[in-house]
Amino acid sequence: MAKKSVASLQTGSKRLTKAVKMVKSPKTGAYSFVETIIDPTQVNDFFNKK
């Protein structure tokens, strides 16, 4: 499973990070991408979550 923090975004006084995770489907075996924009302190929690 690939994981990477792609970009740092800044809006106003908040600093945000776009995180993209590759997830394998249990039925078909195909990969899909899950993207989210979150606080940089929560990036590790996003990647560790199944």
Side-chain angles (χ1 to χ4, degrees):
M1 178 168 50
K3 50 188 173 180
K4 184 176 183 181
S5 177
V6 182
S8 291
L9 309 171
Q10 193 168 1
T11 58
S13 63
K14 289 189 176 183
R15 188 164 172 81
L16 303 172
T17 300
K18 180 178 180 181
V20 180
K21 178 169 51 171
M22 203 163 94
V23 179
K24 187 174 183 177
S25 171
K27 288 185 178 181
T28 63
Y31 286 95
S32 63
F33 294 95
V34 177
E35 297 183 22
T36 187
I37 297 176
I38 53 176
D39 187 49
T41 59
Q42 298 174 339
V43 172
N44 287 335
D45 294 335
F46 172 72
F47 287 129
N48 292 333
K49 185 173 57 175
K50 299 263 178 178

